[in-house]
Amino acid sequence: MPSSKKQPTPDLSEALKLNSNKDVIQKLKGQDSLVNFSYQSKFSNSIFGGSSSQHTLIVKLFPYSDSKNISNSYLQTRSSEIKNILDKEMTTLPNFDDIDFKLISNKKEPHQLTLKI
């Protein structure tokens, strides 16, 4: 009978620590008034005994201007810029499967973009 070994949960806490890292936040802010980090983990078990997990880094961008006037290309450009900075600054970025970028204005999410890592 095969032993069921649980895979250790990767360290994802660095995502939350970014919120208080002033140097990284200053590099990331750019044209946005606020950048916020969180993460989401999804775990699934197969009826055949296997299990899997998916970890998503969530980056919320709150722009200075009203995002109704911001095109989707803005989010594509900003997500690329932010990903490049995170590649340099975040040692645990490889522990995530995706980065989910959300552009938020007036408490709404008019644009969303997900990048595979």
Side-chain angles (χ1 to χ4, degrees):
M1 183 172 209
S3 66
S4 76
K5 278 188 172 180
K6 277 190 166 183
Q7 292 184 346
T9 303
D11 181 14
L12 307 174
S13 63
E14 187 179 13
L16 300 178
K17 292 175 186 171
L18 285 173
N19 290 316
S20 60
N21 185 328
K22 291 179 184 178
D23 292 334
V24 173
I25 292 295
Q26 192 62 35
K27 290 177 186 177
L28 294 172
K29 271 179 84 169
Q31 302 168 28
D32 304 302
S33 63
L34 179 65
V35 179
N36 181 269
F37 296 92
S38 59
Y39 65 88
Q40 178 179 7
S41 296
K42 294 180 183 177
F43 299 94
S44 60
N45 293 314
S46 167
I47 58 172
F48 302 110
S51 64
S52 65
S53 61
Q54 180 175 350
H55 308 287
T56 302
L57 175 63
I58 301 168
V59 181
K60 293 182 180 177
L61 304 172
F62 298 84
Y64 284 114
S65 62
D66 184 7
S67 65
K68 290 178 186 175
N69 301 323
I70 296 175
S71 68
N72 202 35
S73 63
Y74 172 83
L75 186 57
Q76 291 172 340
T77 301
R78 286 294 289 143
S79 63
S80 179
E81 293 169 355
I82 291 171
K83 168 99 171 50
N84 288 337
I85 293 169
L86 292 178
D87 283 338
K88 296 173 190 166
E89 300 289 339
M90 192 174 175
T91 59
T92 59
L93 188 61
N95 292 347
F96 292 92
D97 301 296
D98 302 315
I99 304 176
D100 191 12
F101 291 92
K102 298 179 180 191
L103 184 62
I104 299 174
S105 180
N106 300 326
K107 300 181 183 177
K108 297 178 183 175
E109 295 178 18
H111 300 288
Q112 183 172 344
L113 175 70
T114 302
L115 297 177
K116 295 282 183 199
I117 296 180

